[in-house]
Amino acid sequence: LFDYKETLKQCLRELDLDYLFLTNRDPTEVKMSQIIMPCHCNHRQELCVGQLLKWIDITACLSAERHAMSPCVTASMDDINFEHTIRVGQVVSIKSKVNRAFNSSMEVGIQVSCEDLFSGHHWKVCHAYATFVTQRKETGERVLLKPIVPETQKEQLEYSLAAERRRVRMLHDDIIKDLLTHGCIQQGSNAVAAEKTKVESVELVLPPHTNHQVNTFGGQIMAWMVNVATIAASRLCQTHPTLRTIDMFTFRGPSQIGDRLLLKAIVNNAFTDSIEVGVRAEAYQDLGTNRHINSAFMIFEVLDDHGKPCTLPRLQPEPLEGERRFQEAIARKKIRLDRKYIISRKQCEVPLSVPWNPRNQVYLSYNNVSTLKTLASRKKWRLSSEKDKVRLYSLEEKTMLSFRVDTEVDVPAHTAFSLLAELCNRPSWDTYYQKCDLIHQVDDDDFLYHVVTPSVHPKGIHQDFILLASKRRPCGSGDSYVIALRSVLLTSHPPTEGCNRGEVLCAGFIIQDTKNNMSLLSYYNQASPEVLPYISSDIAGLSTSFYNIFSSCREYLTANSPGCTLPPPVVLG
């Protein structure tokens, strides 16, 4: 093992890695640290994003290959948002590990942080998720990956959410197409013609540009793409822009030594304080036809002396293809805003409910499921009360109180899931659900409901909620059944005079198979003011109403399980 590590370190030194530390706890975890030298930086003495992408790709590839034990290539990279810049003399640290392996692809999580050696200050730079695939064997067979076995709670959470992120990636192109049907071109006077921002550059792939598989190194291609994109953005704003975000992109094919890479960049759209540049990479040899190997979209800002974004000139798109790119840039900005507002926002921010519409459904659904799974992974749950194997736990975090109810039921998990997923039947066993009506079935997994509950006060009026229910079957071994609930705003169902409109931050069921064809049912609720009075007396030990409700739930599941014909879950690849 020592000789293997020494040999690996020598290979990495040849790849111009200054430091590499491999941990023994997780065999796929790789750490790399680099001190930033002037040769890595731009004219402002800040680390070039292209150089950082090279290091990110190297580190992530090492993690992927350590798990696969075979050559791997970068298939795609999720959005990367660069929160801070890195300067000469500072140290950048990159950590990567495989979160989950599917059949022949795997998700690698990457964390990038920075350290000032003189002040000792550390800060986060960005995080990313990359998808790597194994190369086929010489016989043409695919290399099937062994599954990841998560050990810690954090690893279990990342493992579970990897399936949700994969779901979002697969729907990304469909979301773009849907958004394009609802756009319109808005052009202003004195706009800059997009043709003036065009950039073309040709790079010859030489041995130093290739990886150990003799393919053009993905990080090198990304670095070249950043270079031409920066030039295109500079031609519009006539100053030096700062790269802030790289949109999700996919590698379409490989490139080898001797290839010429034709890199094309043009500004697709200029918003008030940001610029989107589209970059296309094509490979060719001699007189052969061009092969499209990658496209990416990069978002730039121009900052003033105080670090504030400057107002940018408008863009006049080219006819036809330019107008298409102009529209697609608007759609991608809409997606970025949805992600920032829905996925990245904290649960304590007001308003808690997000307006629902079909074009932000994917991100609301992702947020719904990921928030419930994150709540379930929290530590320090405290047992507050127990009666007849129905256990009530509480979790206090600053101003937030959450509770969990666990009970084991004598029905298989897939049966319990199918019965509890029919939310309209919940009033038959839950006294706090007086009425539940299905408003809209979004798709096979997501539903909108109108729920009416009793008043907190004896003589008060009823409360109602508009809930998004996201239902998930297991994607593979180690996954649970999930029914996630959260409030949304629906224009067709505004608050009514007969009810107080309440909000559910995070609630739902997580159902796991246990021994002897039984299942563990866990209900979670991140208590909002509307829900808190229902449960506070139970947590304080003054009541056991939670026991009555979940005893009824067990009876409901047991009584209805013989008639359930739902087949066992289909495990996805």
Side-chain angles (χ1 to χ4, degrees), residues 501-571:
R501 177 58 52 88
E503 292 186 307
V504 173
L505 283 71
C506 169
F509 295 91
I510 291 183
I511 308 167
Q512 297 173 298
D513 273 311
T514 60
K515 60 184 180 180
N516 299 325
N517 215 26
M518 299 179 69
S519 56
L520 176 64
L521 180 67
S522 298
Y523 176 76
Y524 295 85
N525 199 307
Q526 202 168 42
S528 58
E530 293 83 8
V531 177
L532 185 58
Y534 297 149
I535 200 68
S536 58
S537 58
D538 286 320
I539 293 175
L542 300 175
S543 171
T544 57
S545 61
F546 77 96
Y547 165 74
N548 296 326
I549 293 174
F550 282 88
S551 291
S552 297
C553 180
R554 285 194 304 198
E555 293 172 4
Y556 165 75
L557 295 176
T558 304
N560 289 276
S561 59
C564 180
T565 58
L566 183 75
V570 177
V571 178

Side-chain angles (χ1 to χ4, degrees), residues 183 218 237 256 272 281 315 352 397 483 494 543:
C237 60
Q256 296 83 28
T272 303
L315 185 81
L352 303 174
E397 298 174 299
I483 305 169
S543 171

Side-chain angles (χ1 to χ4, degrees), residues 38 40-48 87 230 234 239-241:
H40 301 140
C41 297
N42 58 23
H43 64 286
R44 292 194 294 258
Q45 299 297 292
E46 295 172 351
L47 174 64
C48 293
R87 303 190 67 83
T230 303
S234 300
T239 187
H240 299 291

Side-chain angles (χ1 to χ4, degrees), residues 69-86:
M69 293 186 291
S70 70
C72 297
V73 294
T74 313
S76 66
M77 188 82 71
D78 287 2
D79 296 1
I80 307 177
N81 181 42
F82 301 100
E83 299 177 18
H84 299 281
T85 55
I86 306 170

